[in-house]
Amino acid sequence: MNLKLLMPILKALADENRVRILLALRGGELCACQIIELLGLAPSTVSKHLSILKNAGLVDSRKDGRWMYFELASDENAPAAGAIQYIASNIERDEQVKFDQKRLKAILNIEPETLCRRQSESRESGEACCSSDRPTLQSRN
């Protein structure tokens, strides 16, 4: 690996919310609305974090209708695969990590449509992850 490839990965790993996203994705694919619910941030902020993770090659995405789904990069040899495992094993006792794991279990029991509707209603702008008129990240495929 060269320095040009390493810098986006380091940038992506240098933010607490992006690390939280990566840890959540270790359990499998998540819809953008589930990630938004977990982090409690605006959809545009979460979208920016996901874009940085995607540009670093840490996550893949796919679009299914109006839904965007994200997962850890499928390439087992991805440059940061070991880094994600290292981070996870060293912060598993962190209070925020434990809280996120518990909260994610509850979020996964809620239909994405319900989450999206609730998020849209709770924001003055009506901004939501699944709005058909909102631009979304394009799939890497």
Side-chain angles (χ1 to χ4, degrees):
M1 175 182 307
N2 64 38
L3 194 55
K4 270 191 159 181
L5 293 175
L6 181 63
M7 296 315 295
I9 294 168
L10 293 176
K11 178 181 177 181
L13 295 174
D15 181 88
E16 178 181 342
N17 288 313
R18 291 191 289 270
V19 170
R20 289 173 64 199
I21 291 169
L22 292 172
L23 293 174
L25 291 174
R26 287 180 353 142
E29 182 181 71
L30 295 173
C31 176
C33 62
Q34 293 167 320
I35 298 169
I36 291 165
E37 189 73 15
L38 177 66
L39 298 179
L41 298 173
S44 58
T45 302
V46 173
S47 179
K48 179 66 176 170
H49 285 308
L50 289 165
S51 177
I52 291 169
L53 290 169
K54 190 171 178 178
N55 289 337
L58 298 173
V59 300
D60 292 327
S61 66
R62 69 177 177 88
K63 187 169 179 158
D64 184 8
R66 64 185 201 171
W67 305 99
M68 282 299 291
Y69 292 92
F70 296 87
E71 64 183 352
L72 291 177
S74 56
D75 182 3
E76 291 180 6
N77 297 317
I84 295 168
Q85 182 59 38
Y86 174 81
I87 290 167
S89 66
N90 282 285
I91 62 169
E92 62 188 16
R93 293 185 182 158
D94 180 82
E95 290 303 316
Q96 181 67 58
V97 172
K98 288 195 269 185
F99 178 79
D100 283 353
Q101 290 170 342
K102 186 176 182 179
R103 182 150 164 75
L104 186 57
K105 284 182 185 178
I107 289 168
L108 291 173
N109 288 321
I110 303 169
E111 289 295 322
E113 293 89 356
T114 303
L115 284 175
C116 187
R117 185 173 44 255
R118 187 168 68 195
Q119 291 167 1
S120 179
E121 292 169 355
S122 71
R123 304 212 186 280
E124 290 179 21
S125 67
E127 179 184 29
C129 67
C130 58
S131 291
S132 58
D133 59 344
R134 185 174 172 273
T136 58
L137 292 173
Q138 295 299 313
S139 175
R140 287 178 75 160
N141 299 333

